[in-house]
Amino acid sequence: MIKFKPAVPISMIQAAARHFLRGRTADPIWERPALLLIVAANTLLYCWNLGINGWANYFYSAAVQSGLLDTSSFFFGSSDWGNSITVDKPPLSLWIMGLSVRLFGFNPVAMLLPQAFIGIGSTLLIYAILKRCVAGAAALFGAVVFFTTPIVTLMSRYNNPDPLMLLLMLGALWFVLQSIESRRTLPFVAAGVLLGLAFMTKQLQGMLSLPGLGLAYLIYNPQPWIQRIRVVAAGTAALVFTGGLWMTIVDLIPAGSRPYIGGSPNNSVLELTLGYNGLDRIAGSGVVPDAMQVPDTYRTVESDAGLFRLLNANYNQEASWLLFAALSSVLLVPLMWKRITRGHAVSKALLVISTVWLLTAYFLLSFMGNQIHTYYTAAVVPPLALTLGLVFDYVVKNRHSALARLLGTFIASIGLLSSWLILQGTLGWPAWMPIAVLGTGLTAIAALIVRPPTQVIQAFAAGLLATAVLFGPVVTSIHNVTLSFTGSNPLSGFPSKNPAGISHLLESLKNNELPWGHDIAFGRQPDSAVVSTLSMSRGCTWAAASYASQTAARLQLESGRPVMPLGGFAGSDPSPTLEEFRADVAAGKICYFVQQESFVEVQENESQSTLISKWIEGNYQPERLDGTTVYRLRN
């Protein structure tokens, strides 16, 4: 009888399985099973009923569809595969979703699955980074704080570029710590490459961790200063090369040979970076189109910028549950410094990186202009989780110290008060919930502030406190996965009690109470007759032209034919000009024009979109398909 020898010895498979289930022998026996349980919960939270969001942000979904059908559209990140205009971000996250739909077919789950796994990967990175410096319990706590923060849950089930940006920033942090510990140059260069890719994901927002990374490396790398500077120069070169390569290639291509760069007034990626996605958004210095203005009903003050902006009703359910607890711990770092770092360079570096990143993101989001979206708050979550993981480790290891217990009590109390404030300011939760969470947490603190008589009581009280602190973000994240989110600004949780809050604005837009705003935020639901007509169009580069981008994207997704989004996202980009549009019509490249009357009403009189609409109305006959006005531009 012939016996076949397995390619891999059974003993090696068994050893690998034991290591996977047990982890390192130096770790507590419970740590690896706990990590696997957390990863399983994270996977369930991010992947369960993933298709409920449908095409999510139609703006990006249409770009993924275009990249699937045309190589040039894939490279540029074009909204349509006629390559009229790009989305307003570099295409790296679109490329990843595009590869997924090439493998599994073009459907919402295949598009969103990479986002979910990117989010899970970030959770594991939080654990791995903390594990370099703290005990397993603290590393696991940091991972749980990260993946249960509602905005992280929401974005990990959505097709915005934020999850990829966070993963790349965390990867860069891990490599910086590796470079400090090993005294090698290559890990720091790898960190530069990853930060360059973060820039290529969401431009300047991907640089929020850069000050902390650079400062920590220069201070705590044990090499001579001249060597540190050389390594920083090499990492910077890697960042500039990786982050600037696509941008440079695109800007060097003649404008007539590529799509218009969406979001830029003069068709330049550099201008997009520094203006629309840069200084204009930070300082609020750019001109906000009338179509993007918030109605006075929902704008009770000129600006909500300030130290407590992220705690107001517009943003607090996203990432503010433990934000001010983390910020308060930063203020107390001098009292905890020696015990947290224990003289280790890597621990010192991680604490500096976490606190500087947290403060950079917090102050930027708190004082930037009014063109802030609620999901920008995702940028504070990684440093928040890392900071709280370090503080958790300090409190647990020094729990016999009165100072450690007092500091831990203060920080936990800030977290509990934040949760109480957020919960009692929202509609939908039972009236007893906020006070129950606060009371449970304060009871646990009372048991812990003095040394509990037994370890059992201490462990029970600590578990009770952790439950109370995490209750708000966990139930809000679970609530998020039961809802369907679409459009350009998904929002976590229940509506706020403040009638002027953004949750009520978005609800009114979703209900089409402000038709022009609905068209920008969610896109108009295409009438079936229009979809049928466009799907049967042939011989044109574009089946139709329409505005705004969300509406054009929905027409494209449902008809399976390219649709030109006039004026880009908000209809204000000069793409195409009237002359360019007339030339395309004369060449037979556009079959139909789909009118959006309510949207035209809020456009500038001299905008290219308005001029195009007037020219069509003056030269072509309208048709009514269901409730939509359509102009046939090609016989």
Side-chain angles (χ1 to χ4, degrees), residues 463-549:
L464 197 63
L465 178 58
T467 301
V469 165
L470 292 171
F471 183 84
V474 168
V475 295
T476 303
S477 287
I478 293 172
H479 175 70
N480 281 350
V481 307
T482 66
L483 301 177
S484 172
F485 294 95
T486 59
S488 58
N489 199 130
L491 189 70
S492 291
F494 282 107
S496 70
K497 291 181 180 178
N498 180 1
I502 192 173
S503 58
H504 294 282
L505 169 61
L506 291 173
E507 190 65 25
S508 70
L509 295 179
K510 195 171 185 178
N511 294 333
N512 208 20
E513 295 172 14
L514 299 167
W516 57 268
H518 175 272
D519 289 355
I520 291 178
F522 298 98
R524 180 174 175 177
Q525 173 66 47
D527 289 316
S528 58
V530 177
V531 172
S532 176
T533 298
L534 298 190
S535 65
M536 293 187 293
S537 65
R538 294 294 181 269
C540 305
T541 303
W542 294 278
S546 189
Y547 32 62
S549 280

Side-chain angles (χ1 to χ4, degrees), residues 7-29:
V8 180
I10 298 298
S11 59
M12 290 183 62
I13 297 175
Q14 292 173 336
R18 282 196 299 271
H19 179 74
F20 176 77
L21 295 172
R22 170 63 179 84
R24 298 183 305 179
T25 55
D27 293 338
I29 195 169

